[in-house]
Amino acid sequence: RRPAILAFSLLAQAEAATHGVSVDQVHFHEVGAVDSIVDTVGTCLAMHLLGVEEVSCSPLPFGSGTVRTAHGLLPVPAPA
């Protein structure tokens, strides 16, 4: 239970920092949907049951420039 709560807490902090608001003002849109909650809680449960102690990730590759979309020309990486 604690890891899932921590995951959503960290996500709220990241959203708040990205949008320049307090954590109390964060509204979960996509991640508030039932499937996203099940994905997050299920992943935490699976990691617990499998005894995962550490997860690592290499730096994510970010592009640059622009991309033409149905919403017009957007910068890469696109805004949240």
Side-chain angles (χ1 to χ4, degrees), residues 13 32 43-44 46 50 53 60 62 64-65 67 71 73 77:
Q13 291 172 33
T43 298
C44 290
L50 292 169
E53 295 182 11
L60 299 175
F62 288 109
S64 62
V67 63
H71 299 290
L73 199 61

Side-chain angles (χ1 to χ4, degrees), residues 25-51:
Q25 294 174 304
V26 169
H27 295 282
F28 288 125
H29 298 284
E30 291 83 10
V31 296
V34 172
D35 62 327
S36 295
I37 295 169
V38 170
D39 288 345
T40 302
V41 173
T43 298
C44 290
L45 177 61
M47 290 173 60
H48 170 75
L49 293 175
L50 292 169

Side-chain angles (χ1 to χ4, degrees), residues 55-66:
V55 176
S56 62
C57 177
S58 61
L60 299 175
F62 288 109
S64 62
T66 57

Side-chain angles (χ1 to χ4, degrees), residues 6-18 21-24 26 28 31:
L6 176 61
F8 282 105
S9 176
L10 291 171
L11 182 57
Q13 291 172 33
E15 285 282 329
T18 299
V21 299
S22 71
V23 171
D24 294 335
V26 169
F28 288 125
V31 296

